[in-house]
């Protein structure tokens, strides 16, 4: 056993990622499709971010959080897709042990920040609709920055906890991962150590770090729904619900894929399904988010159009 193996407590120094398809003839198609998806996702999210920065009407707390979410979407797809494309291009499936854990850490870091920012956005909608008189003071720029910093701190703690915990496991047998990126469920299946404590840790931390934000989101929108239903104007109710519908759609996709991926560990027969959920979580969701948030928002559409055409409306 080499020094690196002793340090990591494992005889496995690299993993083999099978990727999405094993048929050589389909790999060029997969490469083109996912390269296109990556470019569209990065371009779409950066366009949203640029629109928020250049359009004064979008300098509000909701769009501040949306801009941060766009950065996270770019980061999330960048953690997984470029490395997969590089392996397809080089016809190389191996990934070093440390690189695998590094990818796992950054994936959970960005996903964790995403989770907490979605909660901050729900809180923002709650204040804007239910307590409009105190909204400007309770959602000041300092409060916005604090919410973002706390989100990063909590997500960093969560990602570091899981990365350190997985590094304590021994990998002394199979090293083939039937996926296109490194993640906890697939690594649990390959470990020759008992993963019971790791799985309990995942459930416990997941309940606290994801369950609590979800409860806060549900509570916020329960109050929002009650407040909106008290609005007498049908047009007013429609406008209020439209500002929340996009956010709820993103929350549903985020938590739906998360529950499927991490709340049913122990199933070794679901690897192909895991790939589909992984694509939805790391590719489709970041790609759709700009469309979801701009579909019913003429302000965002106008600002994005100005960014893409190089024109700005006169103040």
């Amino acid at each position: 056993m080499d020094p690196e193996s002793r340090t990591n407590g494992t005889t496995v120094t690299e993993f083999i990622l099978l990727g999405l398809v094993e048929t050589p003839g389909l790999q060029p198609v997969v490469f083109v499709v996912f390269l296109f998806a990556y470019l569209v996702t990065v371009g779409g999210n950066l366009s949203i971010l640029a629109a928020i920065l250049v359009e004064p009407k979008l300098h509000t707390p909701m769009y501040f959080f949306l801009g941060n979410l766009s950065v996270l979407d770019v980061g999330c797809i960048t953690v997984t897709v470029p490395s997969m494309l590089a392996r397809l291009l080089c016809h190389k499936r191996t990934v070093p042990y440390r690189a695998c854990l590094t990818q796992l850490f950054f994936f959970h870091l960005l996903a964790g920040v995403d989770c907490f920012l979605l909660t901050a956005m729900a809180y923002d909608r709650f204040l804007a609709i239910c307590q409009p008189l105190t909204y400007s003071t309770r959602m000041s720029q300092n409060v916005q920055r604090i919410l973002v910093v706390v989100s990063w701190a909590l997500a960093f703690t969560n990602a570091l906890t899981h990365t350190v915990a997985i590094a304590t496991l021994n990998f002394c047998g199979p090293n083939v991962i039937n996926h296109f990126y490194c993640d906890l469920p697939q690594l649990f299946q390959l470990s020759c150590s008992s993963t019971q404590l790791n799985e309990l840790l995942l459930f416990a931390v997941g309940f606290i770090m994801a369950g609590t934000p979800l409860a806060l989101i549900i509570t916020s929108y329960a109050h929002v729904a009650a407040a909106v239903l008290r609005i007498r104007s049908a047009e007013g109710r429609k406008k209020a619900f439209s500002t929340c519908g996009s956010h709820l759609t993103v929350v549903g996709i985020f938590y739906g894929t998360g529950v499927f991926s991490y709340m049913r560990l122990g199933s070794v027969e679901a690897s192909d399904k895991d790939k589909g959920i992984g694509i939805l979580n790391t590719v489709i969701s970041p790609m759709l988010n700009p469309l979801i948030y701009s579909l019913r928002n003429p302000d965002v559409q106008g600002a994005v159009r100005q960014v893409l055409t190089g024109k700005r409306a006169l103040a």
Side-chain angles (χ1 to χ4, degrees):
M1 186 182 298
D2 58 32
E4 178 179 338
S5 297
R6 285 196 300 270
T7 301
N8 293 324
T10 175
T11 56
V12 172
T13 59
E14 64 181 16
F15 294 101
I16 299 174
L17 291 171
L18 295 183
L20 292 174
V21 294
E22 297 184 55
T23 307
L26 292 177
Q27 291 179 359
V29 177
V30 172
F31 179 88
V32 171
V33 169
F34 278 82
L35 177 61
F36 176 77
Y38 179 73
L39 295 176
V40 169
T41 301
V42 173
N45 280 285
L46 291 183
S47 295
I48 292 287
L49 181 60
I52 292 171
L53 291 174
V54 303
E55 177 53 60
K57 287 193 295 186
L58 301 183
H59 293 173
T60 64
M62 181 176 70
Y63 294 110
F64 172 75
F65 293 127
L66 179 56
N68 280 273
L69 202 63
S70 295
V71 174
L72 291 174
D73 285 338
V74 172
C76 188
I77 195 172
T78 300
V79 166
T80 56
V81 171
S83 58
M84 181 192 74
L85 295 177
R87 287 192 296 273
L88 286 172
L89 197 61
C90 301
H91 303 287
K92 182 181 179 182
R93 296 181 176 182
T94 58
V95 56
Y97 174 88
R98 290 180 177 177
C100 188
L101 264 60
T102 300
Q103 184 182 55
L104 183 148
F105 170 80
F106 281 105
F107 177 75
H108 282 269
L109 172 65
L110 296 170
V113 180
D114 204 332
C115 175
F116 292 117
L117 278 186
L118 290 174
T119 309
M121 293 174 75
Y123 178 61
D124 172 74
R125 291 299 84 205
F126 164 74
L127 291 179
I129 295 174
C130 299
Q131 300 182 16
L133 297 180
T134 60
Y135 175 67
S136 59
T137 55
R138 298 181 68 176
M139 190 52 76
S140 63
Q141 288 189 352
N142 284 336
V143 172
Q144 296 168 44
R145 295 190 186 101
I146 289 172
L147 288 173
V148 171
V149 170
V150 170
S151 296
W152 278 96
L154 292 174
F156 177 84
T157 303
N158 175 59
L160 185 63
T161 299
H162 289 306
T163 306
V164 171
I166 201 75
T168 64
L169 297 178
N170 292 319
F171 295 92
C172 52
N175 66 337
V176 178
I177 300 175
N178 188 18
H179 213 305
F180 63 97
Y181 64 92
C182 296
D183 204 1
L184 292 172
Q186 291 73 36
L187 291 176
F188 286 167
Q189 293 174 11
L190 295 181
S191 174
C192 54
S193 305
S194 172
T195 61
Q196 184 176 3
L197 289 178
N198 295 77
E199 293 184 17
L200 288 175
L201 177 67
L202 179 59
F203 278 113
V205 175
F207 180 80
I208 296 171
M209 305 291 279
T212 303
L214 180 60
L216 293 174
I217 291 173
I218 293 173
T219 302
S220 295
Y221 276 108
H223 284 88
V224 167
V228 170
L229 291 175
R230 290 196 295 267
I231 299 176
R232 295 184 178 182
S233 167
E235 186 64 27
R237 287 196 299 269
K238 181 180 178 181
K239 183 178 181 180
F241 274 127
S242 67
T243 61
C244 302
S246 300
H247 181 242
L248 285 173
T249 301
V250 174
V251 168
I253 294 174
F254 179 84
Y255 276 95
T257 55
V259 168
F260 189 92
S261 296
Y262 303 111
M263 294 297 113
R264 45 94 187 116
L265 294 174
S267 173
V268 297
E269 300 177 355
S271 294
D272 289 335
K273 293 181 180 179
D274 288 341
K275 291 181 184 180
I277 294 297
I279 293 172
L280 182 62
N281 200 23
T282 64
V283 181
I284 303 299
S285 180
M287 185 169 61
L288 290 181
N289 282 352
L291 179 62
I292 292 172
Y293 280 112
S294 63
L295 194 60
R296 296 182 178 180
N297 194 317
D299 291 335
V300 174
Q301 292 175 4
V304 170
R305 195 176 300 114
Q306 292 168 24
V307 169
L308 295 179
T309 59
K311 299 178 181 178
R312 286 191 58 183
L314 295 176

